[in-house]
Structures are given as C-alpha cells and as structure tokens.
Amino acid sequence: MPGFLNLPPELIFQVYCSLDTIGDAYFLSQTCQQTYSIFRRPQSQPKIFEAIIDNIIQEAAPTKAWLEAQFGPGSLWQPTEAELPADLTEEETIKFLLNVGFPAVNLTRMGFNSSDLSISAYKGQALDGYTADELFDVFNQDYHEVTDEDEGNPPALSFRFGAIRLKLVLLNNKNGTIYFYDPENWFSHRGVIANGLDTFTVLLGMVVAVTKDLRTASLDISWYERFDTLRGPLDALLRKLRDYDFPAGYGSEFWCGLIWNLLAFSEMDT
C-alpha cells in the first residue's frame, strides 16, 4: 500500500471519514503505524466516528422500507383502523401506525421489547392503555407547551409501545410524546424519550443500524478492550440521536440505558 501510505495525514483522515462502517475504520487502523496514530488521535477519532455514523444513518426516515431494513422484513406491526383502540385519538400516531407501522421486536442486548404488540394483535387484543388514575405520579413539565392544569398531572390516557424490563415506554395520547415510566419508582416519570412515535421509531432504528455495524469491530477481544472499543462510537451515536430529536441525548434515562446495555453485554448483538 505504498501509494496510500504516502498520502498526507489530512487525506488519510478524509478516507476514514468516507468509510461506510466503523468496522472498516478499525481494520484500516491496524494496517500500519501511521493509520493507527491518525485514528487514535483524540482530536480526530470523535470526528471519524461521527462522520461514519452519518454515513450509516444518512437515509434514516420513518418509512416502511428503511425501518424494515433495520428491524427485518415483516417486523412492523401495522394495524388496520378497526384494530386500533377507539380511545387512541392522537392523529399523527394513528397516521404513522396505519401507513408505516411500529416494530414489534425483542432487542435482547438493548433490553427493549415490543414483541407483544404482534402477539396481542394475533389474539385480537388492542394496545394496552393506562388512565391517569392508573399512572400514579407527579409529572414534570415536558417539552411541549402545557397549561397550569396539566402541569403536575399524568396524561388522561397513555398507550404502551414497549418496555425495558418493568419500565414502560408510553405514548401520551394528548400530544403524541413518548415517555419513560417506572411503576416501581417513587418518581415514576423518567423523562420524555421522543417527540412522537415516528421519531422514536427512527431513533430506535438508528441504534439498531449502528449496532449491526459495530458487530464487525468487536470480535475476539476481551470485555475491557471491547468496552474501550465501543464507547467512542456509541457516545457519538448518542450525540446523533440528540441532534435528530432533542430528548434523545445525554441525561435521557432511556437512551443512555440502551447504550449502557450495549456496552455491558459481552457480545454485540441486538
């Protein structure tokens, strides 16, 4: 590779940023001392990760084609209008479910599970709904405009779209926001996850897309090496999630929890 190695460091850096997978970046960094030193520079590596993640998720969109490319063919729960609960009135949510669908999946390593959506539909059961009386909590003001009577009260009606163990991923039927709810915590409301079901689905798809890519960069290494290897790109991914939708960033218990679960498991798999 004499021609490539004779390139100035600035051009090799651009080569890194043009790659389509983080795995390729790690493999390139192992070819010689020069590529390794460029890749390991503290001022360069975060930019390399962010550029490659941009390449991976550049086509991210709330479309059936892109989402099935991430979650798998036939993975989207797409109900008919008759199958939706009569109490579900949030228009954007209804439109998204009817035209695209929501992934009914069990992402084991992340800990997120929504597979019961398709199981319940098969049994003829509707979405699980929760009234304000069932969600005992003092709610904090969310990212949407609220009135004085709203502040401090749970939504009149919420619907479940998944869970991480006992913590629920709920949709606020009034404004369409997705929030995290822990029934076993005194402060049950754990923060807004996304500003809509379509946005939440795309964010989840981004995590899956980057996770699939990272599998190629995490083989035959110890847990400590793997943690160090994956921390950089997953931190960059978290920044990209926040850029796409502000609630999905640092301080989000849901998204930070997903990232930690990916770091903590010994295998990179969704």
Side-chain angles (χ1 to χ4, degrees):
M1 198 186 292
F4 177 77
L5 296 181
N6 288 333
L7 292 174
E10 294 79 9
L11 288 182
I12 295 179
F13 171 77
Q14 291 301 322
V15 170
Y16 272 114
C17 292
S18 68
L19 295 174
D20 293 324
T21 76
I22 291 171
D24 285 345
Y26 279 112
F27 296 144
L28 178 58
S29 73
Q30 301 302 309
T31 56
C32 69
Q33 183 60 42
Q34 183 180 10
T35 57
Y36 179 81
S37 62
I38 293 171
F39 180 69
R40 298 297 296 182
R41 288 175 184 169
Q43 68 271 30
S44 299
Q45 195 174 77
K47 296 177 182 178
I48 291 171
F49 288 147
E50 290 192 9
I52 296 174
I53 289 174
D54 276 337
N55 298 337
I56 295 171
I57 64 175
Q58 62 180 332
E59 297 181 357
T63 63
K64 190 169 185 177
W66 187 80
L67 293 172
E68 286 199 332
Q70 313 315 317
F71 296 105
S75 59
L76 301 181
W77 172 64
Q78 188 176 2
T80 64
E81 192 167 359
E83 292 171 331
L84 290 175
D87 292 338
L88 177 61
T89 58
E90 209 287 312
E91 293 183 0
E92 292 301 316
T93 299
I94 294 172
K95 185 188 305 182
F96 178 70
L97 288 174
L98 294 178
N99 296 331
V100 179
F102 183 79
V105 293
N106 184 11
L107 305 177
T108 308
R109 302 300 179 189
M110 298 182 197
F112 177 79
N113 190 354
S114 60
S115 59
D116 60 332
L117 289 174
S118 58
I119 297 172
S120 297
Y122 178 77
K123 295 179 179 179
Q125 300 170 352
L127 282 169
D128 288 339
Y130 300 84
T131 65
D133 289 338
E134 293 170 314
L135 297 178
F136 50 91
D137 184 27
V138 177
F139 266 50
N140 295 318
Q141 182 171 336
D142 61 23
Y143 291 95
H144 287 257
E145 182 179 355
V146 296
T147 65
D148 291 339
E149 63 179 343
D150 289 328
E151 188 171 355
N153 296 306
L157 184 62
S158 300
F159 291 95
R160 181 171 63 85
F161 278 88
I164 294 183
R165 298 177 181 85
L166 296 177
K167 298 179 182 179
L168 307 180
V169 174
L170 299 176
L171 176 133
N172 183 337
N173 190 52
K174 180 177 180 179
N175 57 25
T177 56
I178 308 297
Y179 65 96
F180 207 25
Y181 182 85
D182 183 358
E184 295 193 332
N185 194 302
W186 180 259
F187 298 101
S188 303
H189 185 272
R190 310 306 296 171
V192 174
I193 297 172
N195 283 317
L197 188 65
D198 55 346
T199 303
F200 172 60
T201 309
V202 172
L203 291 168
L204 202 59
M206 289 179 178
V207 177
V208 171
V210 174
T211 299
K212 288 190 292 187
D213 170 58
L214 286 173
R215 292 176 192 164
T216 63
S218 58
L219 302 176
D220 300 323
I221 56 178
S222 70
W223 187 91
Y224 296 101
E225 291 173 313
R226 179 185 173 282
F227 186 93
D228 184 60
T229 297
L230 299 180
R231 182 175 55 185
L234 289 176
D235 277 347
L237 172 61
L238 199 57
R239 291 192 293 272
K240 292 299 177 182
L241 298 181
R242 181 182 55 189
D243 290 344
Y244 190 84
D245 193 32
F246 183 75
Y250 293 105
S252 168
E253 182 174 323
F254 177 85
W255 296 109
C256 290
L258 286 191
I259 298 301
W260 171 251
N261 287 342
L262 291 173
L263 284 170
F265 276 101
S266 60
E267 298 177 7
M268 175 56 67
D269 192 3
T270 54

